[in-house]
Amino acid sequence: MGPFPQPCRACARAWSLKGKPVVIGGRGEPGVERDGSAPSRGVVTTATYEARAFGIHSAMPMSRAYRLCPQAVFLPTDFPEYRRVSAIFKDCMRSISPYMEDRGIDE
């Protein structure tokens, strides 16, 4: 998945994350779980360009992303929201042209 989820999050948070390293993936917590158990095995779904400057990329383990940039904002995935925003965008595109091919929520 490309950087599509990050703008969804940024808009939802009133641009408070603009310019910050943001990593989206798993449950959003790269460290120890809330109950004190071992870290989750989540992976990075996407990251802002600011986070990518630290070497963070999609499919990287969240724990490695944390080691590369502990000051990043880590957020969980929110696929219902991505589907909602994607549907709005695609409806807008279909109102302009009947020749839109739907390939997924981020394409």
Side-chain angles (χ1 to χ4, degrees):
M1 181 175 287
F4 175 73
Q6 199 281 323
C8 291
R9 287 287 189 173
C11 289
R13 292 180 178 260
W15 300 104
S16 65
L17 301 177
K18 185 177 171 116
K20 296 181 181 179
V22 178
V23 179
I24 298 174
R27 296 183 188 139
E29 294 186 23
V32 176
E33 294 295 321
R34 289 187 183 122
D35 64 2
S37 62
S40 65
R41 296 174 49 108
V43 296
V44 173
T45 301
T46 191
T48 60
Y49 293 113
E50 293 82 2
R52 292 174 188 213
F54 288 89
I56 297 170
H57 57 80
S58 297
M60 172 182 284
M62 291 288 280
S63 58
R64 179 143 194 263
Y66 180 78
R67 286 194 302 274
L68 289 172
C69 187
Q71 70 273 25
V73 176
F74 289 85
L75 298 171
T77 55
D78 187 354
F79 287 104
E81 178 65 3
Y82 309 151
R83 281 189 286 275
R84 186 186 75 77
V85 172
S86 179
I88 292 169
F89 177 79
K90 289 175 184 179
D91 287 345
C92 180
M93 292 294 101
R94 286 185 190 102
S95 74
I96 296 168
S97 172
Y99 302 109
M100 194 198 81
E101 293 185 31
D102 193 343
R103 297 290 183 197
I105 67 169
D106 66 334
E107 297 179 25

